[in-house]
């Protein structure tokens, strides 16, 4: 659980950090936008003063500077009106607005919504300068969106890289641990096989020797399973119903008599490409998980459903159930609801089903206090 908590804290840290950067970008962009808006307001006030100077100029007044100021504006759309809102002049509007009065009125309404007009006081009647945002201001509106998109893209790339790196490291770690476990089990197994041969020579009870032999064979199977983790297993065309029943029967014979085991199938033969050792591990992990869930007392059912294109294996129990928000978490490495659990069983099961046998596994349904149903599904060849 501590691993998951650290992972959760790390995710929240990066989320809050990214949100802080996003807010900082938006705030700075807002300030920049307001600065440009203020500068354009100053330019328009100078433009209005220049226009007024030309209207008030006498015959000998030099108007070269005001004319220069008026001609320099090539980006900000402007409409001049009288008190009655009748348009007297305009500049930097679309060409089609030249002879289209309706379009001019529409553009005037648009400019009114963008900025407060500048009043030009004149004895014969005041005029108002309505102006819009320049192309630079309009482009600046999309600047935050571009920055956010870049930030999100960068974040996704970083997340994908670290996730892939983490998964690769975890896979190497689990594979190394599994192979080392198989290697360590191999030494006492060889010794046990030797002791079995000595027991046979001493004419011990054949039933006892047979049971010991079964358990030794079981240990060999477990060692073989661990040795296959991290490497591509050999697949054989096998009857999945028969292979599943073998694992089910083994666990039933060695489990508490207080558990009611049930095996059902609507078919006897369905051949699929399987690795028998790993498939057995899959079934045992799910059944043992069910045994833990019912705490040694209750019902466990394994059902095989054969349809036209798929074969489905359902493992259900009458245990404590799984909260809906943990349906996907139960397959994460390190996640466990048991105090002494390592959280590897279902993770390895998912890996075997999906990576090696090209199937799918999920929590089909679960209800707290009533039980859980796991579903494995394979496509038929």
């Amino acid at each position: 659980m501590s691993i998951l908590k650290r992972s959760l804290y790390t995710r929240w840290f990066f989320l809050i950090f990214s949100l802080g950067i996003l807010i900082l970008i938006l705030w700075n962009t807002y300030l920049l936008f307001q600065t440009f808006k203020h500068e354009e307001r100053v330019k328009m006030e100078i433009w209005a003063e220049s226009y007024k100077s030309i209207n008030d100029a006498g015959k000998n007044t030099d108007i070269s500077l005001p004319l220069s100021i008026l001609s320099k504006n090539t980006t900000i759309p402007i409409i001049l009106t009288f008190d009655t809102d009748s348009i007297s002049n305009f500049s930097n509007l679309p060409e089609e607005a030249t002879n289209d009065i309706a379009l001019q009125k529409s553009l005037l309404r648009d400019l009114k919504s963008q900025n407060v007009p500048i009043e030009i006081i004149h004895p014969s009647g005041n005029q108002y300068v309505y102006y819009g945002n320049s192309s630079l201001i309009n482009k600046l509106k999309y600047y935050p969106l571009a920055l956010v998109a870049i930030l999100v893209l960068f974040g996704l790339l970083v997340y994908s890289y670290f996730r892939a790196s983490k998964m690769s490291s975890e896979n190497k770690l689990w594979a190394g641990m599994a192979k080392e476990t198989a290697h360590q089990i191999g030494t006492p197994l060889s010794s046990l096989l030797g002791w079995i041969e000595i027991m046979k020579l001493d004419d011990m009870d054949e039933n006892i020797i047979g049971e010991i032999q079964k358990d030794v064979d079981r240990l060999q199977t477990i060692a073989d399973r661990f040795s296959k983790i991290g490497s591509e297993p050999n697949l054989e065309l096998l009857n999945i119903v028969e292979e599943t029943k073998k694992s089910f029967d083994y666990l039933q014979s060695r489990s508490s008599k207080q558990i009611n085991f049930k095996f059902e199938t609507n078919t006897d033969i369905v051949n699929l490409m399987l690795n028998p050792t790993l498939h057995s591990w899959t079934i045992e992990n799910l059944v043992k998980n069910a045994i833990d869930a019912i705490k040694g007392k209750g019902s466990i059912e394994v059902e095989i459903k054969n349809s036209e294109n798929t074969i489905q294996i359902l493992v259900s129990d009458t245990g404590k159930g799984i909260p809906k928000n943990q349906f996907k978490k139960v397959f994460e490495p390190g996640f466990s609801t048991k105090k002494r659990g390592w959280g590897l069983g279902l993770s390895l099961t998912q890996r075997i089903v999906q990576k090696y046998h090209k199937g799918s596994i999920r929590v089909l349904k679960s209800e707290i206090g009533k039980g859980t149903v796991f579903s494995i599904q394979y496509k038929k060849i």
Side-chain angles (χ1 to χ4, degrees):
M1 295 296 289
S2 60
I3 296 175
L4 288 174
K5 284 184 178 179
R6 285 198 296 270
S7 176
L8 182 62
Y9 291 151
T10 302
R11 291 175 187 174
W12 274 108
F13 171 76
F14 279 111
L15 179 62
I16 295 171
F17 181 73
S18 300
L19 185 60
I21 292 177
L22 180 60
I23 293 172
L24 186 62
I25 289 173
L26 293 176
W27 176 249
N28 280 304
T29 304
Y30 172 78
L31 293 178
L32 185 63
F33 183 81
Q34 292 302 317
T35 300
F36 276 109
K37 288 277 287 184
H38 176 71
E39 289 182 357
E40 288 198 351
R41 178 75 180 185
V42 172
K43 289 179 182 178
M44 285 297 96
E45 288 174 350
I46 295 172
W47 188 94
E49 285 294 328
S50 300
Y51 187 85
K52 185 176 183 299
S53 297
I54 293 175
N55 287 341
D56 295 341
K59 292 183 179 180
N60 299 320
T61 304
D62 183 8
I63 60 172
S64 59
L65 180 58
L67 285 174
S68 175
I69 292 173
L70 294 182
S71 64
K72 292 292 184 183
N73 175 41
T74 58
T75 58
I76 303 175
I78 297 173
I79 294 180
L80 276 82
T81 68
F82 293 109
D83 287 335
T84 57
D85 272 0
S86 60
I87 298 173
S88 63
N89 200 354
F90 57 82
S91 63
N92 300 325
L93 295 184
E95 289 185 8
E96 55 268 24
T98 305
N99 300 313
D100 191 336
I101 303 299
L103 180 57
Q104 292 177 18
K105 293 287 186 182
S106 174
L107 291 171
L108 177 60
R109 287 193 297 270
D110 186 41
L111 296 187
K112 284 182 178 182
S113 66
Q114 294 183 34
N115 297 287
V116 177
I118 300 171
E119 186 177 8
I120 301 175
I121 299 174
H122 197 273
S124 61
N126 294 343
Q127 287 184 293
Y128 295 89
V129 179
Y130 291 95
Y131 66 98
N133 296 325
S134 65
S135 57
L136 179 61
I137 292 289
N138 289 328
K139 289 177 182 177
L140 197 60
K141 288 181 181 179
Y142 302 102
Y143 178 68
L145 296 177
L147 286 179
V148 170
I150 293 171
L151 180 64
V152 170
L153 180 60
F154 179 74
L156 289 174
L157 289 174
V158 172
Y159 174 78
S160 299
Y161 171 77
F162 281 109
R163 182 174 175 82
S165 178
K166 180 184 176 183
M167 290 180 66
S168 177
S169 299
E170 286 179 350
N171 288 337
K172 288 179 181 178
L173 175 62
W174 300 134
M177 289 176 62
K179 290 181 182 295
E180 180 61 23
T181 302
H183 177 72
Q184 294 294 335
I185 292 175
T187 302
L189 268 179
S190 300
S191 177
L192 285 172
L193 289 171
W195 283 109
I196 289 175
E197 294 302 319
I198 292 174
M199 291 168 68
K200 288 179 180 178
L201 293 174
D202 290 342
D203 295 326
M204 287 191 66
D205 189 328
E206 289 293 332
N207 291 329
I208 295 175
I209 295 175
E211 289 301 314
I212 294 174
Q213 183 68 56
K214 287 181 182 178
D215 287 331
V216 170
D217 291 342
R218 187 65 185 168
L219 286 173
Q220 286 181 318
T221 300
I222 292 170
D224 188 34
R225 289 173 179 173
F226 279 104
S227 67
K228 285 180 168 60
I229 295 297
S231 57
E232 199 67 30
N234 294 322
L235 302 180
E236 307 171 43
L237 188 62
L238 298 171
N239 181 5
I240 192 171
V241 180
E242 182 181 348
E243 295 299 321
T244 304
K245 188 69 165 61
K246 284 181 186 178
S247 300
F248 177 85
D249 290 342
Y250 177 84
L251 290 168
Q252 182 180 15
S253 65
R254 282 163 172 74
S255 298
S256 170
K257 300 302 180 183
Q258 293 183 307
I259 301 176
N260 178 31
F261 284 91
K262 186 178 181 181
F263 184 90
E264 287 192 356
T265 178
N266 63 352
T267 185
D268 293 325
I269 301 175
V270 177
N271 293 322
L272 292 178
M273 296 301 294
L274 296 173
N275 181 282
T277 303
L278 295 181
H279 178 70
S280 172
W281 198 357
T282 297
I283 301 303
E284 287 182 24
N285 277 339
L286 291 177
V287 173
K288 286 180 178 178
N289 196 65
I291 292 172
D292 290 337
I294 64 176
K295 297 181 179 179
K297 187 177 181 179
S299 298
I300 295 175
E301 180 179 354
V302 175
E303 182 181 5
I304 298 179
K305 291 184 177 181
N306 181 34
S307 60
E308 184 178 354
N309 299 315
T310 62
I311 184 81
Q312 188 180 32
I313 302 173
L314 301 175
V315 180
S316 57
D317 63 66
T318 56
K320 58 185 179 181
I322 302 171
K324 195 168 184 179
N325 61 352
Q326 294 182 0
F327 278 15
K328 292 183 179 180
K329 285 185 179 180
V330 295
F331 296 106
E332 293 179 2
F335 180 86
S336 177
T337 56
K338 294 175 284 188
K339 291 182 179 180
R340 297 184 180 181
W342 283 34
L344 296 179
L346 289 177
S347 176
L348 287 170
T349 300
Q350 185 185 55
R351 182 185 179 93
I352 292 169
V353 172
Q354 294 183 353
K355 183 175 180 181
Y356 297 142
H357 291 146
K358 310 303 179 187
S360 63
I361 181 171
R362 63 191 176 100
V363 180
L364 184 63
K365 61 181 180 178
S366 185
E367 191 172 345
I368 301 299
K370 292 189 176 181
T372 302
V373 180
F374 280 88
S375 168
I376 301 174
Q377 188 166 292
Y378 297 112
K379 287 185 179 179
K380 295 166 69 173
I381 57 176

